[in-house]
Amino acid sequence: MNKAIAGFSKLSKEEKINWIATTYFSNPTNAIQLLKKYWNSDEKLQKLHDEFIENTISNFYIPLGVAPNFLINDTYHTIPMAIEESSVVAAASKSAKFWATRGGFKTTIINTEKIGQVHFLFKGDVSKLELFFVQTKTKFFSETENITKNMQQRGGGILDITLENKTQLLPNYFQLHATFETKDSMGANFINSCLEQFANILKTEAQAYEFFTEEEKNIEVIMSILSNYVPNCIVRAEVSCPIEDLAEKHIPNPQVFAERFVQAVQIAEVEPFRAVTHNKGIMNGIDAVILATGNDFRAVEAGIHAYAAKNGQYSSLSHAKIENGIFNFWLEVPLALGTVGGLTSLHPLVKLSLEMLENPSASQLMEIVAVAGLAQNFAALRSLTTTGIQDGHMKMHLNNILNQFEATNEERDAIQKHFKNNIVSHSGVVNFIESLRK
């Protein structure tokens, strides 16, 4: 296709699918059948999913699994995880079982502050702008009460607003930097509504401020938007036990294991190439729970990776040490999450996942999500420093390879038996399948 289509959004769902199928596929009938195969037979439920986004043509399935036996602050949880990557749920479950007999996971909410900013340009005397802000600040609170009233009743609202001079970065650039508490709501719409009202107040009050020149009165608001970087919305998750208690089948010498584990974490703390992969493993656990509970994993990813680089170099999110014979492993991550509003009240499986977690508050969900990340990181580092990562991962990946080649039950039995004591690789499995079929 080498030309644009006009009015695509106004087409019906059927018309959109037919256009896509005939425009891009050599066999339009097969394409249409595949898209419709993933429709839900419940028309009401399908309509709900259709209206989540624009131009919906089908549903894209991601497995929803569970990782049981997570002992968090002395309470057991079964954690829902929506993810397509092999071995993630198994690894999380294995970590949960390991630590459940060693005191479990402990968590601490350090802060729950969220951030929004009004970015604007001011050309004039900075001292006059600073005085103007001091005199106007109360209006930012009072004239947003219609927006903040319900949030205040739940214990949230606007915490503070400051004027930030950023002219050392860009000419004439300033911010209204606001902090918020949004309780169980992720709060994006609430924060953005407050910020847009701040911008209106800023411009209106500047026009009426008698000490500004005409040029100074013309404050130019560039944009008003929340930040997904929330370095003061932090949760800590940790595990610890005496070194000798680390002993198990694959850890015959717990002292050597603990020292090697700490060294592996220290490498991720100083080497960005390793840190990126190290943190990706943490996000395997975090993203899976965030997706299952209807939160915005893209926003969380952006904020967490910014936090990992807060000291000027990208580094490990997790840390480990040995102190007085005790092995300690922990992470601190920023997590702006919600358990009310958005998909949490619309998507049936999101509601099911939250009920499975016993309807946590936003703070409790922060704790659960952080634990999932730490558990995943522990599982990966334990494999890397003992048997190697590929042994367990490729055995879990074996089913995907067998599905790819549509292996029969007889072939599956033979392949599973063969690779029980042999290294699993894609080429090795393919060669073995071919040998069976000859």
Side-chain angles (χ1 to χ4, degrees):
M1 179 185 175
N2 59 4
K3 65 177 182 179
I5 177 174
F8 182 78
S9 64
K10 294 181 174 61
L11 298 178
S12 69
K13 185 178 176 182
E14 289 278 359
E15 289 170 336
K16 290 171 184 172
I17 291 172
N18 289 335
W19 178 82
I20 290 169
T22 55
T23 303
Y24 292 106
F25 294 90
S26 58
N27 191 327
T29 301
N30 283 354
I32 292 170
Q33 287 176 346
L34 179 62
L35 288 171
K36 291 186 175 182
K37 187 181 290 186
Y38 282 84
W39 288 7
N40 198 292
S41 57
D42 183 329
E43 291 185 7
K44 184 178 179 181
L45 185 60
Q46 183 57 56
K47 186 174 184 293
L48 177 68
H49 283 266
D50 285 349
E51 293 177 353
F52 284 156
I53 61 170
E54 304 79 21
N55 296 337
T56 304
I57 58 174
S58 192
N59 304 312
F60 191 94
Y61 291 174
I62 291 178
L64 177 65
V66 295
N69 301 319
F70 271 92
L71 183 61
I72 305 174
N73 299 331
D74 301 319
T75 299
Y76 277 98
H77 296 270
T78 295
I79 298 182
M81 305 179 78
I83 191 167
E84 85 299 338
E85 184 172 332
S86 302
S87 78
V88 169
V89 176
S93 301
K94 195 171 182 180
S95 283
K97 184 178 179 181
F98 181 93
W99 285 107
T101 59
R102 293 166 174 84
F105 296 84
K106 305 299 180 185
T107 61
T108 307
I109 298 295
I110 297 174
N111 208 329
T112 57
E113 179 183 284
K114 295 168 187 175
I115 292 170
Q117 297 165 322
V118 177
H119 305 268
F120 67 94
L121 301 181
F122 172 80
K123 298 175 183 178
D125 187 334
V126 175
S127 63
K128 286 199 287 183
L129 178 65
E130 291 170 343
L131 181 60
F132 163 75
F133 172 75
V134 170
Q135 295 177 355
T136 310
K137 184 174 179 178
T138 57
K139 290 192 175 182
F140 293 122
F141 289 88
S142 63
E143 295 186 18
T144 53
E145 285 183 351
N146 61 320
I147 301 172
T148 63
K149 182 180 178 181
N150 290 338
M151 185 66 74
Q152 287 177 343
Q153 290 174 349
R154 300 200 298 271
I158 305 164
L159 300 179
D160 195 16
I161 309 165
T162 60
L163 173 67
E164 301 292 327
N165 185 337
K166 297 289 183 176
T167 54
Q168 77 279 13
L169 302 176
L170 289 172
N172 309 314
Y173 172 37
F174 294 84
Q175 296 173 358
L176 293 182
H177 184 93
T179 50
F180 300 85
E181 170 59 62
T182 62
K183 304 306 288 183
D184 289 338
S185 169
M186 199 285 278
N189 289 332
F190 167 75
I191 292 172
N192 288 336
S193 294
C194 289
L195 295 173
E196 290 184 359
Q197 183 66 1
F198 292 166
N200 290 333
I201 297 166
L202 179 68
K203 290 187 292 185
T204 301
E205 293 300 318
Q207 285 292 323
Y209 192 58
E210 61 179 324
F211 298 110
F212 278 162
T213 66
E214 287 305 309
E215 182 179 39
E216 289 169 337
K217 289 180 178 181
N218 291 321
I219 286 176
E220 182 181 357
V221 173
I222 304 301
M223 55 187 167
S224 308
I225 187 70
L226 89 165
S227 174
N228 291 129
Y229 183 42
V230 284
N232 291 323
C233 188
I234 302 293
V235 57
R236 178 186 174 104
E238 57 192 311
V239 289
S240 64
C241 71
I243 287 177
E244 58 268 23
D245 289 353
L246 292 169
E248 61 156 6
K249 178 182 177 182
H250 295 296
I251 307 176
N253 189 325
Q255 182 68 40
V256 171
F257 167 76
E259 291 173 358
R260 186 174 293 174
F261 190 103
V262 170
Q263 189 71 69
V265 175
Q266 289 174 341
I267 289 170
E269 288 174 336
V270 300
E271 170 51 68
F273 282 90
R274 171 59 196 145
V276 170
T277 308
H278 179 94
N279 289 345
K280 186 270 181 184
I282 293 173
M283 300 313 298
N284 278 345
I286 287 177
D287 282 350
V289 187
I290 288 175
L291 193 56
T293 56
N295 278 269
D296 187 344
F297 71 92
R298 299 158 300 272
V300 168
E301 282 269 2
I304 285 180
H305 291 303
Y307 187 76
K310 66 183 184 300
N311 294 324
Q313 175 178 295
Y314 192 87
S315 182
S316 171
L317 292 163
S318 63
H319 309 280
K321 67 179 180 179
I322 297 169
E323 193 171 72
N324 300 322
I326 304 295
F327 171 80
N328 298 274
F329 181 48
W330 73 96
L331 64 72
E332 291 181 4
V333 286
L335 290 171
L337 305 179
T339 55
V340 298
L343 282 187
T344 61
S345 59
L346 287 175
H347 198 301
L349 286 178
V350 167
K351 290 192 283 188
L352 181 142
S353 293
L354 290 170
E355 187 172 352
M356 188 189 307
L357 292 172
E358 300 180 272
N359 296 314
S361 66
S363 293
Q364 289 169 330
L365 184 59
M366 286 171 67
E367 295 171 325
I368 292 166
V369 169
V371 163
L374 188 67
Q376 198 64 32
N377 196 211
F378 178 79
L381 289 171
R382 178 174 59 177
S383 293
L384 283 168
T385 55
T386 54
T387 60
I389 199 73
Q390 284 301 91
D391 180 55
H393 178 75
M394 289 307 295
K395 285 181 178 178
M396 291 299 298
H397 188 53
L398 182 57
N399 279 336
N400 288 343
I401 302 173
L402 298 181
N403 288 333
Q404 180 183 347
F405 286 90
E406 298 181 347
T408 65
N409 289 335
E410 293 77 12
E411 288 172 336
R412 285 174 181 271
D413 290 341
I415 292 165
Q416 295 281 5
K417 184 177 180 180
H418 175 78
F419 284 102
K420 186 175 183 179
N421 298 310
N422 290 281
I423 295 174
V424 178
S425 68
H426 189 276
S427 59
V429 176
V430 172
N431 290 338
F432 193 75
I433 290 174
E434 289 177 348
S435 70
L436 287 176
R437 292 177 177 178
K438 288 179 181 177

